[in-house]
Every structure is written in C-alpha cells, then in structure tokens.
Amino acid sequence: MRFRFILIGLAAGIGVVMFIGASASLHDVGFPLDDSWIHQTYARNLAEEGEWAFIPGEPSVASTSPLFTVVLSLGYVLHIPFFVWTFIVGFLALSVAGWIALALGEKMFPKLPFVGLFTGLAVVTSWHLVWAATSGMETMLFSTLSLAVIGLTWREISAQKTATRGEFRRGLSTGLVGAALTLTRPEGAGLVALAGLFVVAAQPYGSWRTEWKRYLAWGGGLALGWMAGIAPYAAMNYHISETFLPNTSAAKQAEYANLLELPLLERYGRMFLPLVIGGQLLMVPGVIVAFVILVKRIKRNRVALLYLLPAAWIFLDVSAYALRLPTAYQHGRYVMPVVPHIFLYGVGGTIAIVDRARFGPVQRVASRSLGLASALIMPAFLIMGAQVYARDVRIINTEMVTTAKWVRDHLPPNELLAVHDIGAVGYYAPRSILDLAGLVSPEVVPIIRDHEAIMEFMCTKKAQYLMVLPDQLPAISNDPRLGDLLFITNARYAKEAGAGNMAVYRLNCP
C-alpha cells in the first residue's frame, strides 16, 4: 500500500514540475488565469492587513473560494514565496485526490486487479487536473474535497454489513467536509444534498420505516456539520454584501447571459466536450461497462446504489453550468472537478473489459489494445497539456501582468482606474478601482452588457483611466469620452491565440 501511495505522489509531482518547467522555459513562471491573481490579492490582504478585501480598506466578497483564500494566506503568514506555496498546495491537492481515488476504485470494483492503483494514476496524470493543480485556482482543491465527500458517504455501505452505530458521528464528519467543499465552491452544496438523498434511497441500514432513527441521526449530523462549517462565512458575506453568495455568481451569469439563448443540448455539449479531450475519451466503453456491472449489483443489493453517487454528481454539476453559465472557456475549468469521478468508472470498466476478455484470442487482443492505448494516451496528453499551460501562462504574463506593472509605475495611485480583468492589477498595482466585471463593484452587474450605461457609470464615478482588452471596450472608436491610448502591450502571443492586446486609455469625461 505504501508503495502505491508513493508512486501516485511521485507521478503527481512529475506532472506539476513538468507544467511549471514548461511555462518557465517558454516565458516565465506564472498563472494561466487572471482570476488566480484575485485569490493571491485576497490572501495577501488577509495575511498582512487582516482584511477580507481586494482593495485594502474596502471589504468585499469577490473571492469565489474563501477556503482556498485562507489556505493561500498561510503562505504569506509563513513568508513562503507565493508561487512556491501555491504550487505546493496544488501538488498536495492532486496527490490526495489520487490517493482517495485509489481507495474509491478498490471499493467500487474490489475484484479487479490493480484497479485502485490505475485509478489513482489516471487522476494524477490527467492533463486537466495537473493544469488545475498549477493554475493557482481552487479547482483542484474542490476536486479533492468532492472525492472526500463521496468516500465518507460510502462508509454507510459497510454499515449494512456490520450493523454498527455511530451514524450521527459519521454524518457530522461528512457534513463538515461538505462544508469545506462548499466554501471552496458554492456548488459543492449540491453534492452534500445528493449524498443525503442517496443514503436515503440506498437504505444501507434497512427500511427507513423501521430504522428511521438511524437515518435521522446520520442526516441530522450531515446537516449540522454542514451548517456549522459554512455559518461563519455566510454571516460575514451577508454583513458585507447582504448576500450569501460571492458577487462573482451574479456577475458571471450576467456577463454571459447571451449564452443562455443557445439550445439546451448545445449548452450541454459545450460543457461536456472539454472533458473528453484526453485519455478519458478511450475510456467511454469502460464507463458503459462499469454502469452495466453496477446496475446488476444494485439489482442484487440496493445499497450498491451509492456507487452511482459520483455519476449523479457529474450530471448535476455539468447541468448547473449548462443551465446557468454555459461557458467552456479555459479548457472547461468550471467543470474540470468532475474529471476524477469519470475516472472512477472509466478505469474500472476498462480493466473489467480486459479482464473478462482474456479467454478468447480476438477479444483478448482487442481489449488489451484498448487498455494499452488508454494507458499510453495519458502521458501523451500530459505533454501536450504542459505546452497548452505554458502558452496560457505566457498570455497572462504578457497581457495582464505586464499592463498591471505599467499601471503601477506610470499612473497615480490616487486616480480611479476602471478595469475589466482586476486580478493582476490588484496584486501588482493596488489602488481604488472600478471593476467593470462586477466582482468588487456589484453595482455594475445590472448594466454589465449595456456599453453606453457602462461609459456613463465610469464618468459618474469620475474614473480617469480605463484598462481593457479590445472586446471589453465599452465605447466606439469615436466616442469623445475615450481619450488617448496611453499604453498597449503589443505582445504577439494573444494575437496568435485570436485575442487582442491589453490597453490603457485616458478618459475624458465631461
């Protein structure tokens, strides 16, 4: 067992180092998203100023992941270079996800050889998840905690065999981890609710009519642990903004509201497509076989229904984004956390195909070819993923970070700057800003798609400067309120990717 844990941890470390090394060799170390710098800014202000604020002295709730912010702030408290600490956190989250997946794979398919090891290795060598671990975002931590909630819920499967008590205690610990999941991303509450529903449906203690006290004890512990865990942040959030969710929830939905006009099936396709770009594509037959195996098991023993909890979570999480925020940019980062759950079925089912076909020559060759191809394609996509990651980091460094440093060096810090991508500016050039994406300026959300209203709003607030990409510019070229172009990056990398360059304008408001 120790060797398998070491092997999974080593594979996770190699992937993380590969991605960081690729970005350093291509351009420089960094993050592939401007949002990563939002987390760093909140974490630094929390550690150094004791404030939950993006702009020092102005409390706000634009952090999408309060738990991740707190974890990052520990690095500043310990005076560890922030890149080093952030990548350590990502590596640990990836490794733990692999270890949990190992245990869950063995629990789901106990008779299949090496199923736990291969499931864990699939998780830590998935390019999606290594990208998440090195992104400076909460994505990998959310993935790991979602696996932990699944694993804690599956403890109730054993309760059927042993008839042990302690349901309240087990429910409480599951609820507390579920609270941590929710504090990492709000949609984690959906998995906690699903866990409760599946335990009731699977009836691990017997009929709920006769064993209702045990179900009540587990469910009560789950609810109490979850509410106790999220209560402090919910209270702080409501005190600051009179809402229980971060501003990002409403702001992102408003910004991409036009995508809701797409047909529902197309929205689902947009969310699922990024998830199959990788080794998991060859595991589709395995996923089907895994479901066939589990359905047969459920017919024999109803408690096996709990093994479908990850599948229900995949559907719920993807549906939430397809229905409310169907944007698949940045490699589908919003739905990346379901990738480990796909591997729980894909790896086990693929091994089952290979194992069951070993007696026939044709079936043996075909099944082993499928298994070998699935194993070989993972490192191939990992190498390609490292190149993609390096290019992502280079664009952020040469557009957002470069412009933020120019703002720091050339613009007076006491003059109001309107900006759409606030992350790097908040970190490198802290000052009062007008956030055109609505994260720390929620009053922008109702008018976020009305360019004329945005221009009037900036002038009303007496903004002196505007920092935007071309497609974020809320003014036509001859608008008299849009003054001189003061700075533009002119970096070729964003243009090669089909985007434009970040620019800073002087505003001439009447």
Side-chain angles (χ1 to χ4, degrees), residues 383-398:
I383 294 171
M384 289 188 287
Q387 297 170 343
V388 170
Y389 171 83
R391 291 194 293 269
D392 292 341
V393 171
R394 182 173 62 181
I395 289 175
I396 297 300
N397 280 346
T398 55

Side-chain angles (χ1 to χ4, degrees), residues 57 63 68 80 99 119 141 157 163 166 185 215 286 342 362 388 444 451 477 491:
S63 173
F68 189 62
I80 300 174
W99 296 334
T119 303
L141 178 60
I157 297 173
R185 273 197 192 176
Y215 290 105
I342 295 174
V362 176
V388 170
V444 170
H451 288 181
S477 58

Side-chain angles (χ1 to χ4, degrees), residues 259-401:
L259 296 178
L260 297 178
E261 299 173 3
L262 297 173
L264 183 60
L265 187 61
E266 182 177 346
R267 283 184 264 159
Y268 270 100
R270 289 170 64 92
M271 303 315 299
F272 270 114
L273 181 60
L275 299 181
V276 298
I277 300 176
Q280 54 269 37
L281 179 62
L282 292 180
M283 294 183 189
V284 171
V287 171
I288 296 172
V289 169
F291 274 96
V292 172
I293 294 172
L294 292 174
V295 168
K296 291 180 180 179
R297 197 182 303 172
I298 292 168
K299 291 180 179 179
R300 295 193 301 268
N301 188 348
R302 184 171 181 168
V303 74
L305 185 65
L306 282 171
Y307 291 126
L308 296 185
L309 177 57
W313 169 237
I314 293 170
F315 179 75
L316 178 64
D317 195 42
V318 172
S319 295
Y321 283 101
L323 294 173
R324 300 299 299 168
L325 188 61
T327 174
Y329 66 88
Q330 295 157 343
H331 321 300
R333 70 175 175 95
Y334 288 130
V335 290
M336 276 185 189
V338 306
V339 171
H341 302 273
I342 295 174
F343 285 132
L344 291 179
Y345 300 105
V347 174
T350 301
I351 293 177
I353 292 173
V354 175
D355 187 60
R356 294 185 178 190
R358 65 183 184 274
F359 300 111
V362 176
Q363 297 94 324
R364 183 166 60 247
V365 171
S367 63
R368 289 183 177 178
S369 297
L370 175 64
L372 182 61
S374 300
L376 293 178
I377 201 172
M378 296 296 290
F381 269 101
L382 190 63
I383 294 171
M384 289 188 287
Q387 297 170 343
V388 170
Y389 171 83
R391 291 194 293 269
D392 292 341
V393 171
R394 182 173 62 181
I395 289 175
I396 297 300
N397 280 346
T398 55
E399 296 297 334
M400 285 68 171
V401 173

Side-chain angles (χ1 to χ4, degrees), residues 212-251:
W212 62 270
K213 290 183 180 179
R214 298 180 70 183
Y215 290 105
L216 183 62
W218 186 86
L222 180 75
L224 180 61
W226 184 79
M227 290 188 292
I230 69 168
Y233 175 72
M236 182 193 72
N237 215 52
Y238 191 81
H239 175 72
I240 294 174
S241 65
E242 296 187 351
T243 63
F244 292 108
L245 293 176
N247 295 337
T248 51
S249 177

